[in-house]
Amino acid sequence: YLISGELSVDESSLNGETKEKYKYGSLSKTDSNTLYRGSVVYSKEGIMKVTKVGSNTMYGKIAEELQEKRWLAYKLVTDPARC
């Protein structure tokens, strides 16, 4: 999350919204200062604190779910009797 500064970011890769969002630094994590992988910073500057990486992130959780679904699909195709 953004702990210091101010940013104008594009989160369209996450939510499809074309309107840029403004993020403001704060010492506590809130919706108005949370940043996500895939966001593009348009202007200004700030300092952020990384609190989640890998499978603990939103993208990580999606990747794990996709991997589980692929495994189930593989099992159904290769040995339907085992499912």
Side-chain angles (χ1 to χ4, degrees):
Y1 62 94
L2 188 63
I3 58 174
S4 170
E6 182 178 328
L7 300 176
S8 168
V9 298
D10 173 2
E11 295 180 339
S12 61
S13 66
L14 302 170
N15 58 22
E17 294 179 15
T18 57
K19 187 176 179 182
E20 62 190 79
K21 288 190 171 182
Y22 298 94
K23 304 287 184 168
Y24 303 96
S26 173
L27 294 178
S28 59
K29 187 176 177 184
T30 65
D31 286 339
S32 65
N33 70 347
T34 302
L35 299 165
Y36 299 98
R37 177 181 177 232
S39 297
V40 177
V41 177
Y42 280 144
S43 63
K44 308 212 180 181
E45 61 183 47
I47 298 172
M48 64 180 276
K49 179 178 181 179
V50 176
T51 58
K52 295 180 182 180
V53 297
S55 61
N56 293 320
T57 66
M58 181 179 64
Y59 278 109
K61 290 182 191 328
I62 292 170
E64 283 182 347
E65 287 180 21
L66 289 173
Q67 188 67 23
E68 288 173 14
K69 289 179 182 177
R70 284 187 191 141
W71 174 246
L72 289 174
Y74 172 77
K75 285 175 58 177
L76 283 172
V77 169
T78 59
D79 190 3
R82 296 185 73 191
C83 294

